[in-house]
Amino acid sequence: MKHPFKVAMTALAMCIATSAFATESNAELQSETTLAQELNLSSAQVEQIKGLREQATKELSSVKLDAIGQDVIVNMIKSGKWDEAAAKKQLQTISDVQAQARYYRAHYLFEVSKVLTAEQKAKLHEMLTGSEAMY
């Protein structure tokens, strides 16, 4: 491998940006089962929510990650010169990607809430205010 350090740093940058996606996606799948149990969803509601989840998954997969793969930090380390503006720009790009993902998850939860009865919505609200990790 010609540039193992560069590859490692690129992988690290991708991990920073995408680790939230993987963790949250696994958590969403687990929370979907928990959601169905906690809210006592009907089979019709489960099917509607399944469709909403599929749409949210498509939206999340449309988030562009290619800008995150830039070698800004690696190049600074290699050159021995810190570029404040470039570092901030790269970190802002990562933040923007994370914000897009949060938006799609929040929209998914909103759409799910429209499928629920008033009692189920109250329970969902209780669950969300007790655990901000859901969105």
Side-chain angles (χ1 to χ4, degrees):
M1 188 168 271
K2 193 172 183 178
H3 303 286
F5 182 73
K6 184 176 179 179
V7 171
M9 289 304 292
T10 301
L12 178 61
M14 292 299 289
C15 285
I16 290 169
T18 60
S19 67
F21 294 130
T23 302
E24 290 162 1
S25 294
N26 288 338
E28 277 184 23
L29 293 176
Q30 291 173 351
S31 68
E32 187 174 307
T33 303
T34 302
L35 190 68
Q37 293 169 347
E38 289 285 325
L39 299 178
N40 195 25
L41 298 176
S42 69
S43 58
Q45 288 173 312
V46 169
E47 285 304 310
Q48 286 179 292
I49 291 171
K50 181 179 177 184
L52 294 171
R53 181 180 45 83
E54 289 170 1
Q55 179 61 35
T57 300
K58 285 180 190 174
E59 290 171 340
L60 277 171
S61 67
S62 74
V63 175
K64 302 291 183 213
L65 299 177
D66 51 346
I68 294 172
Q70 296 174 357
D71 297 327
V72 174
I73 304 298
V74 172
N75 291 339
M76 284 188 274
I77 292 170
K78 185 177 180 180
S79 72
K81 295 180 182 178
W82 180 255
D83 183 341
E84 189 76 19
K88 286 183 177 182
K89 182 179 178 185
Q90 186 64 29
L91 293 173
Q92 185 59 53
T93 300
I94 292 168
S95 293
D96 291 346
V97 167
Q98 290 173 334
Q100 285 179 309
R102 282 187 208 106
Y103 169 82
Y104 289 131
R105 285 189 300 276
H107 186 255
Y108 164 74
L109 286 173
F110 175 78
E111 292 298 320
V112 166
S113 75
K114 293 174 20 179
V115 173
L116 305 177
T117 65
E119 183 179 293
Q120 290 168 328
K121 282 182 187 181
K123 179 66 176 175
L124 178 63
H125 181 265
E126 183 181 308
M127 291 168 68
L128 289 174
T129 56
S131 173
E132 294 182 30
M134 286 193 67
Y135 63 95

